[in-house]
Amino acid sequence: MKKTWKGLLLGCLLAVSSMVSAQKTFTNPLLPSGADPYSIHKNGYYYYTHTVQNKLMLWKTKNLADLATAESKTIWTPPAGTKYSKELWAPELHYINKKWYMYFAADDGKNDNHRMYVIENASADPMQGEWTFKGQVATPDDKWAIDGDIFEVKDQYYMIWSGWEGDKNGQQNIYIAKMDNPWTISGERTKISGSDYEWEKHGDLNDANNPPHVNVNEGPQFLRNKDKIFIIYSASGCWTDFYALGMLQTTISSDLMKASSWKKSAEPVFRQSAENKVYAPGHNSFFKSPDGKEDWILYHANAEPGQGCGGFRSPRAQKFTWNKDGTPNFGIPVKAGTKLAVPAE
């Protein structure tokens, strides 16, 4: 009898273990749509955001795999009739000096007027409290700018972003500048990347309101591995299937404001996989698992060729590893529906 009960108990435990194990997986995409995904993990929660166009939103969840059922909230809606009332792109949430900041690009309805802005919240939880508009984040030349990312190295904050050299569309470059505080850039910008390789130059347009061709470097994201610093950026037009991730790298001892400090990879580090039906993967961000031991890439992609920059883009996540030389290895985009283990808790 004792052996029978032990057997039953063991069977029940195995069944429960199997159920728990089954629940600790997820599949991509995380949401049906959502371009320019960004996530930060703090105080036991993931805070997630993506481009909504006319407002800024946040999602809050213990597990990013549960994003579809996560609590969500509109945290800020721009007033009408301003330079930042429309086309709110690529929001990012950062926690700096015990306050929350959300950076975003916006314009007045005309793309030529896109600039970067920031709002602030002193609440411990960014889903609570009041968000206040701090203003434009700009260099002295005040040129077209989108996709700002903030990072700190040796007690100095930097902003990296995508911008134009002048006032005409045709080439988006990656720039870097130092910051005096979370809403103020100090000094001039430095260009650290343009479209140098053929894979960065897919950008033909068939639109009378735009140039015939635009070269794109955009969506820069900071990534660090010990003494190595990387900027992962998106290259070629998002309206093409060739949208892919490129990589700049330097070391922590280098002068980050010198263009010569940065070395560019000759090939993309993450690109489309027709075999897995993942097209135009890009505009990524990074996050750690809750236990702090795993590295994850969050990105958007299309499920079919030719879907461009619209609402078909959906957020996806997958774990990545590191090569022996300390560079990241993102692998290939995982096929939608593939079961993946959730970030380690």
Side-chain angles (χ1 to χ4, degrees):
M1 181 65 73
K2 286 183 179 180
K3 289 183 178 180
T4 301
W5 279 109
K6 285 182 179 180
L8 288 171
L9 180 59
L10 179 60
C12 289
L13 289 173
L14 288 173
V16 170
S17 176
S18 177
M19 290 173 63
V20 170
S21 176
Q23 292 169 353
K24 290 188 176 293
T25 62
F26 74 98
T27 60
N28 284 316
L30 300 172
L31 293 172
S33 66
D36 315 326
Y38 187 88
S39 179
I40 180 173
H41 188 263
K42 189 168 181 61
N43 297 329
Y45 288 94
Y46 288 102
Y47 295 98
Y48 166 93
T49 186
H50 64 228
T51 295
V52 186
Q53 297 283 359
N54 62 349
K55 57 188 176 182
L56 300 176
M57 288 187 66
L58 269 181
W59 284 254
K60 180 182 180 180
T61 178
K62 283 281 189 179
N63 191 326
L64 206 59
D66 297 327
L67 200 54
T69 57
E71 174 189 3
S72 64
K73 181 181 181 179
T74 297
I75 61 168
W76 190 77
T77 301
T82 72
K83 294 187 295 183
Y84 47 88
S85 295
K86 298 181 180 180
E87 302 296 333
L88 280 67
W89 292 352
E92 284 199 8
L93 183 67
H94 293 264
Y95 189 71
I96 305 172
N97 299 330
K98 298 182 179 180
K99 289 184 179 180
W100 291 98
Y101 294 90
M102 181 170 277
Y103 298 85
F104 62 98
D107 64 23
D108 57 0
K110 184 180 180 182
N111 179 49
D112 288 0
N113 297 329
H114 253 113
R115 298 294 188 274
M116 294 183 297
Y117 301 90
V118 63
I119 57 175
E120 178 190 73
N121 188 345
S123 173
D125 185 343
M127 300 286 280
Q128 306 299 321
E130 181 180 358
W131 284 92
T132 58
F133 181 71
K134 294 294 291 183
Q136 184 181 346
V137 186
T139 52
D141 56 7
D142 189 26
K143 300 300 183 182
W144 186 92
I146 64 169
D147 299 349
D149 182 41
I150 310 297
F151 65 91
E152 180 187 8
V153 173
K154 294 183 177 179
D155 298 322
Q156 172 66 58
Y157 278 96
Y158 297 84
M159 174 176 268
I160 47 177
W161 70 95
S162 176
W164 296 350
E165 187 71 32
D167 297 313
K168 290 185 178 181
N169 196 3
Q171 172 68 54
Q172 291 177 222
N173 303 314
I174 304 299
Y175 293 93
I176 187 171
K178 291 182 178 180
M179 304 191 77
D180 282 335
N181 56 50
W183 59 91
T184 308
I185 287 177
S186 57
E188 301 293 334
R189 63 182 181 168
T190 296
K191 174 187 169 183
I192 57 175
S193 181
S195 297
D196 303 304
Y197 295 106
E198 192 62 32
W199 54 270
E200 300 178 280
K201 298 179 180 180
H202 296 277
D204 284 349
L205 285 162
N206 297 301
D207 184 350
N209 297 319
N210 283 297
H213 182 95
V214 176
N215 288 331
V216 175
N217 273 197
E218 65 183 14
Q221 287 291 307
F222 171 79
L223 180 64
R224 180 174 173 179
N225 184 23
K226 298 178 181 178
D227 65 340
K228 296 182 183 295
I229 292 175
F230 306 95
I231 291 177
I232 309 301
Y233 65 96
S234 301
S236 285
C238 64
W239 54 93
T240 76
D241 293 335
F242 297 99
Y243 200 54
L245 297 183
M247 183 174 76
L248 305 172
Q249 65 175 300
T250 188
T251 63
I252 194 170
S253 60
S254 300
D255 183 350
L256 305 190
M257 291 299 296
K258 281 189 176 181
S260 59
S261 296
W262 297 92
K263 179 184 177 182
K264 178 183 288 193
S265 293
E267 296 291 337
V269 291
F270 197 63
R271 66 204 312 173
Q272 66 169 310
S273 171
E275 180 182 359
N276 286 348
K277 293 183 69 66
V278 180
Y279 299 90
H283 204 111
N284 74 287
S285 58
F286 300 106
F287 66 94
K288 287 276 191 180
S289 56
D291 69 358
K293 296 180 180 179
E294 296 177 351
D295 292 291
W296 287 73
I297 182 171
L298 183 65
Y299 62 96
H300 70 226
N302 288 323
E304 299 292 341
Q307 290 185 324
C309 299
F312 291 107
R313 293 177 295 178
S314 57
R316 300 149 187 253
Q318 61 190 71
K319 189 165 59 173
F320 71 91
T321 58
W322 298 93
N323 297 313
K324 289 183 179 180
D325 64 357
T327 58
N329 186 336
F330 302 120
I332 61 173
V334 174
K335 186 176 182 180
T338 301
K339 286 188 177 183
L340 302 173
V342 300
E345 299 172 344

